[in-house]
Amino acid sequence: MGFQKPPGTQDFLPGSVDTWQFVESKARDICRRFNFREIRTPIFEATELFKRGVGETTDIVEKEMYTFTDRGDRSMTLRPEGTAGVVRAFVENKLYGEPDLTKLYYIGPMFRYERQQAGRYRQFHQFGVEALGSADPALDVEVIALGYAFYTEVGLEGVRVEINSVGTPAVRASYREKLLAFLEPKRDQLCEDCRSRMDRNPLRVLDCKVDQHHFVGAPSILDSLDEECRTHFEAVRRDLSAMGIPFDINPRLVRGLDYYTHTAFEFKAEGIGAIDTIGGGGRYNGLVGEIGGPDQPGVGFGIGLERTVLLLDSQNADPERLHQVDVYMIGLGEAAEREISRLIYGLRQKGLSAERDYQGRKMKAQLKSADRLQARFAAILGDDELARGEIALKEMATGEQRFVPLDNLAAELSGQRKS
Ligand code: HAM
C-alpha cells in the first residue's frame, strides 16, 4: 500500500506553484516599500506561549492545536498562528530596546487541526505583519493599507475591509455584562455552540452562523466604548477614508483570538465555498506584557495564502504569473549538440531560462517539448549553421524563423524578453 499526504495538507506541484511564487514575491516587495523587515521564527514553540498569547478559551487552543511532548518531556505545539511567536522573539531578543518602531513580516506554514472544507486546511500558510512599539492609530491604518495594497496588487477583485473596535479589557468586561443580559432570556433557543460560548467567551456568540436572527437588537460594543477607544476608532476611520481605502464598520466583528484591543479588522471576499474571510488582524496592546515583556503596543494581520491563491486562480489566469522558458535549444548532430551544451550554460548565466533535450530525441519530439513548456523560442543548430556561426531562431507563437549570429543569441533573446 502506498502512502498518502496527511488529511488537510497539500502538495504544491510545479504546475500550480507559479501563483504561489508570484503572490509571495508581491508580499515581499510590498513589505520592502512599507519598510517591514522579514522575521523567521521556529515552527514549534512551547505550548504555554499559545495558551497565554492566543487565549485558553479560544477554539484554536481548546480544539485545534498540534501539541506533542518532546523527548525532553516538554510540551510543544506546532504554531497555529504567527503573532505569539513573533512577540516572543521581540521580547526574548529585546527588540523593544531599539529607538525605532519594530516592523516585521513573515511568510510560512501554520497548523490547526480543523474540519476540512474548501479553503480550510490543517497545514496552511500565512503572510503576516506585526508592527510593535506604537499605539498611534496611524499605524493601524498603515497595516490595513498594506494588506489592502497586497490584495490589489496581486490582482484580486472584490476584496472588502471590515473594521470594528473591540475596546480595552475593561470596556469588554462591561459590554460582556450587557450582552449576557440580552442573551440570557434566549439561552434555550440558541444552538449548543452559542450556549457554551455564553459561558466561556460571550463576545464570540455573535459570530454564530445559524443564530443571527436571535441577535437582532443586541447591544453593540461600539456603544460601550470609553473616550480613549472612541477617539482611537474615529482616527482610524478618518485616516482610512482620507487614503481612499473603502471599508465597512461591522460592530459584530469579533476575532477568534483573545489578544485584540481597539481596532479589529478582516479582509473579505466571496468565492471560496462557505468561507468569506481571507485575512484578519488588529491591535494587541496587552500581548507583549502578557508574554513577559514590557508594556508595548502592537498591531498586525495574518493573510491566508491558500485563500488568496484559490481566489486568484478562480478569477483569472494571468500569464504574467506563469513560469516561462525563454528558449528551447536543439542541436542536430554531435558537434552541434556539444555547442548547445556550451551555449545553454552561457544563456542561463546571463539570466535567461533555457531548456534542452537529454534523451536523444528527434527534432520533432524536441519541438513538441518546446511547445509543452510554452517556450517563447526554439533555437535550432545544425552542422551547417554551426559552420557559419549562426543559429535558427524560431518564434513559437508565430512559427516565424530567422538566423542570428551565435554571439548575438543572448542579446536577441534578452531584447525580446518581457520584463
Ligand atoms: P486568524 O484570523 O486566525 O488570525 O488567521 C488569519 C488568516 O489565516 C485567516 O483569515 C485565513 O485566511 C487564514 N487561515 C486561518 N486558518 C486557516 C485554515 N485552517 N486554513 C486556511 N487558511 C486559514 C491570525 O492568525 C492572527 N495571528 C492575525 C494577526 C496578526 N493579528 C495580529 N497580527
Side-chain angles (χ1 to χ4, degrees):
M1 208 188 78
F3 292 104
Q4 293 184 331
K5 59 184 176 301
T9 65
Q10 285 182 282
D11 294 317
F12 300 105
L13 303 176
S16 67
V17 93
D18 295 348
T19 313
W20 279 86
Q21 293 188 346
F22 165 79
V23 159
E24 288 168 7
S25 69
K26 283 283 183 205
R28 289 181 195 286
D29 186 55
I30 287 170
C31 285
R32 179 188 61 77
R33 285 181 271 142
F34 279 71
N35 191 33
F36 280 66
R37 307 283 305 275
E38 183 173 6
I39 182 167
R40 301 187 186 194
T41 62
I43 286 184
F44 60 95
E45 299 267 3
T47 303
E48 191 56 28
L49 174 68
F50 300 113
K51 288 192 177 167
R52 283 268 203 94
V54 176
E56 296 264 10
T57 61
T58 57
D59 284 354
I60 295 179
V61 169
E62 282 193 337
K63 321 186 219 182
E64 297 170 0
M65 295 206 302
Y66 279 91
T67 297
F68 60 96
T69 308
D70 75 6
R71 286 168 195 271
D73 232 14
R74 306 173 193 88
S75 180
M76 293 288 163
T77 294
L78 299 186
R79 61 183 186 192
E81 59 101 51
T83 313
V86 168
V87 169
R88 195 260 321 128
F90 175 76
V91 173
E92 186 174 342
N93 298 288
K94 299 196 172 52
L95 300 182
Y96 49 79
E98 320 250 320
D100 294 318
L101 276 191
T102 308
K103 304 206 300 182
L104 304 167
Y105 82 90
Y106 48 92
I107 297 175
M110 310 287 161
F111 305 84
R112 295 184 194 175
Y113 194 87
E114 290 199 79
R115 197 168 49 77
Q116 286 184 75
Q117 66 183 97
R120 180 160 285 147
Y121 302 90
R122 292 184 179 166
Q123 174 172 337
F124 61 98
H125 299 75
Q126 279 185 359
F127 157 40
V129 309
E130 314 293 348
L132 293 137
S134 165
D136 191 330
L139 198 57
D140 308 31
V141 173
E142 172 161 315
V143 163
I144 296 172
L146 195 166
Y148 192 71
F150 167 76
Y151 288 119
T152 310
E153 291 187 28
V154 297
L156 261 196
E157 279 159 22
V159 176
R160 293 177 287 117
V161 183
E162 287 188 0
I163 62 168
N164 191 19
S165 173
V166 295
T168 56
V171 163
R172 273 204 299 284
S174 92
Y175 173 62
R176 191 177 298 126
E177 295 311 311
K178 288 186 209 158
L179 184 62
L180 279 174
F182 171 84
L183 293 173
E184 210 52 70
K186 302 177 194 288
R187 183 184 275 270
D188 294 342
Q189 292 145 264
L190 299 179
C191 73
E192 203 185 309
D193 225 20
C194 281
R195 291 203 299 270
S196 122
R197 279 178 172 172
M198 276 176 70
D199 301 324
R200 294 176 303 125
N201 206 344
L203 271 63
R204 295 277 296 158
V205 172
L206 297 181
D207 223 21
C208 177
K209 291 259 186 306
V210 292
D211 279 339
Q212 283 301 321
H213 57 288
H214 288 303
F215 306 147
V216 179
S220 162
I221 190 159
L222 296 178
D223 297 327
S224 295
L225 296 184
D226 61 20
E227 186 58 29
E228 181 212 344
C229 294
R230 247 198 320 274
T231 313
H232 188 95
F233 194 45
E234 270 164 22
V236 169
R237 280 161 17 209
R238 184 196 59 215
D239 289 0
L240 281 175
S241 299
M243 288 165 74
I245 295 171
F247 64 90
D248 294 311
I249 296 167
N250 175 1
R252 299 232 176 120
L253 191 158
V254 241
R255 310 258 310 121
L257 306 95
D258 276 354
Y259 45 63
Y260 294 108
T261 55
H262 296 281
T263 318
F265 61 89
E266 285 186 341
F267 298 106
K268 300 203 161 182
E270 314 303 322
I272 319 178
I275 284 175
D276 65 355
T277 302
I278 56 176
R283 181 164 273 291
Y284 45 85
N285 288 353
L287 182 59
V288 180
E290 187 64 36
I291 282 175
D295 185 20
Q296 290 257 344
V299 56
F301 67 62
I303 281 178
L305 292 183
E306 278 75 6
R307 296 182 188 179
T308 307
V309 167
L310 273 171
L311 283 175
L312 261 184
D313 282 342
S314 74
Q315 287 188 1
N316 61 16
D318 184 348
E320 202 199 311
R321 289 205 292 273
L322 301 180
H323 172 75
Q324 248 204 340
V325 170
D326 293 309
V327 61
Y328 195 93
M329 302 286 288
I330 302 176
L332 306 173
E334 223 175 278
E337 270 186 52
R338 265 201 309 279
E339 180 64 8
I340 288 292
S341 293
R342 199 185 64 81
L343 282 170
I344 202 167
Y345 186 53
L347 294 177
R348 287 169 173 167
Q349 283 179 312
K350 291 194 167 101
L352 290 151
S353 157
E355 187 53 291
R356 56 164 289 188
D357 171 78
Y358 289 102
Q359 292 156 286
R361 293 178 305 172
K362 301 238 162 12
M363 179 160 103
K364 203 169 149 197
Q366 294 196 38
L367 279 170
K368 276 202 179 135
S369 285
D371 243 348
R372 274 196 299 276
L373 284 173
Q374 298 186 322
R376 289 189 304 120
F377 290 94
I380 306 153
L381 189 67
D383 288 339
D384 290 352
E385 288 88 12
L386 184 55
R388 294 202 310 269
E390 285 187 341
I391 190 164
L393 195 58
K394 175 176 168 162
E395 186 167 0
M396 297 300 288
T398 59
E400 224 168 84
Q401 187 168 315
R402 62 204 154 87
F403 290 97
V404 300
L406 281 178
D407 295 344
N408 260 3
L409 182 60
E412 278 284 333
L413 291 166
S414 307
Q416 305 207 22
R417 195 165 198 269
K418 281 196 302 185
S419 58

